Amino acid sequence: QKEVEQNSGPLSVPEGAIASLNCTYSDRGSQSFFWYRQYSGKSPELIMFIYSNGDKEDGRFTAQLNKASQYVSLLIRDSQPSDSATYLCAVNTNAGKSTFGDGTTLTVKP
Amino acid sequence: GAVVSQHPSWVICKSGTSVKIECRSLDFQATTMFWYRQFPKQSLMLMATSNEGSKATYEQGVEKDKFLINHASLTLSTLTVTSAHPEDSSFYICSAPGTSGGGEQFFGPGTRLTVL
């Protein structure tokens, strides 16, 4: 079992829809959870982080964390073609060191 | 803030030569930096953790004599791929932890290495 698992996709949604990206992790001691976006040929960029159970909203993005279920998700509302990218879930189990999932590729169709 | 640069952005070299990649934190100090490698359609693979003023910590399976890491100052870490071979061709990315201490990372733009 991988430490951080994501649906590989590809996930395709129409423009304006909600995209839902999911991630599960194996280490119950995990403290910090991150979502990064990576465009093709580029390096990852941080879009959201969450530390506590519940929802955290930032613009069109909402991160959701459920530590009991070891589950973290990212919702993208009003999806735009520019959101088309690979989304990486990362979990910190040791201070400063992240374990990344394999990523979910999202395509938003105009 | 939290800008990380990398140089060069791409490099092509002949098999057997060595290539040095620089990673700089531009607007903050980084006692730790991370080096990743990413093959096409695959996720990030952590190679090593670079520590300012001390030896790097390498992940299992990464040859420390082949991938030399030096963290000479609080804003500069370098990765040298020694005696590069075609199988070393990859996208190399460095990152630095954010200053909040929360564990977020800020990535450099990456270096695409092609070994002929």
Side-chain angles (χ1 to χ4, degrees), chain A residues 5-109:
Chain A
E5 294 210 47
Q6 296 181 249
N7 292 330
S8 60
L11 174 65
S12 181
V13 300
E15 184 174 356
I18 296 175
S20 178
L21 305 162
N22 304 316
C23 174
T24 58
Y25 59 94
S26 60
D27 189 335
R28 286 195 171 274
S30 301
Q31 298 294 319
S32 311
F33 307 86
F34 307 89
W35 284 99
Y36 294 87
R37 176 176 63 198
Q38 186 175 23
Y39 291 114
S40 181
K42 303 294 185 181
S43 65
E45 57 180 322
L46 178 69
I47 53 172
M48 289 285 291
F49 60 87
I50 187 166
Y51 305 140
S52 305
N53 278 329
D55 295 359
K56 179 182 179 183
E57 186 174 319
D58 183 1
R60 295 186 295 112
F61 299 96
T62 299
Q64 299 175 317
L65 174 62
N66 184 325
K67 289 188 178 180
S69 300
Q70 296 173 245
Y71 175 91
V72 58
S73 66
L74 179 69
L75 300 177
I76 306 175
R77 290 182 299 281
D78 188 24
S79 295
Q80 301 296 309
S82 59
D83 295 325
S84 298
T86 296
Y87 290 80
L88 302 172
C89 172
V91 174
N92 274 33
T93 52
N94 296 306
K97 188 173 166 180
S98 293
T99 301
F100 287 83
D102 289 342
T104 298
T105 300
L106 171 67
T107 300
V108 180
K109 296 187 175 180

Side-chain angles (χ1 to χ4, degrees), chain B residues 22-98:
Chain B
E22 292 186 349
C23 178
R24 293 182 186 273
S25 56
L26 297 186
D27 52 357
F28 65 105
Q29 294 182 333
T31 56
T32 299
M33 290 184 177
F34 302 102
W35 286 96
Y36 295 87
R37 181 167 56 181
Q38 187 176 38
F39 293 107
K41 305 293 185 183
Q42 295 186 24
S43 190
L44 298 171
M45 187 198 83
L46 179 65
M47 300 175 65
T49 302
S50 172
N51 304 298
E52 189 269 336
S54 64
K55 292 182 179 180
T57 305
Y58 290 82
E59 295 300 302
Q60 190 173 9
V62 177
E63 302 174 59
K64 60 182 179 181
D65 294 331
K66 181 170 182 62
F67 299 99
L68 300 179
I69 291 173
N70 184 274
H71 198 138
S73 74
L74 288 171
T75 59
L76 173 64
S77 175
T78 60
L79 167 67
T80 301
V81 183
T82 62
S83 186
H85 291 284
E87 58 266 30
D88 298 322
S89 298
S90 189
F91 191 39
Y92 292 85
I93 314 171
C94 70
S95 74

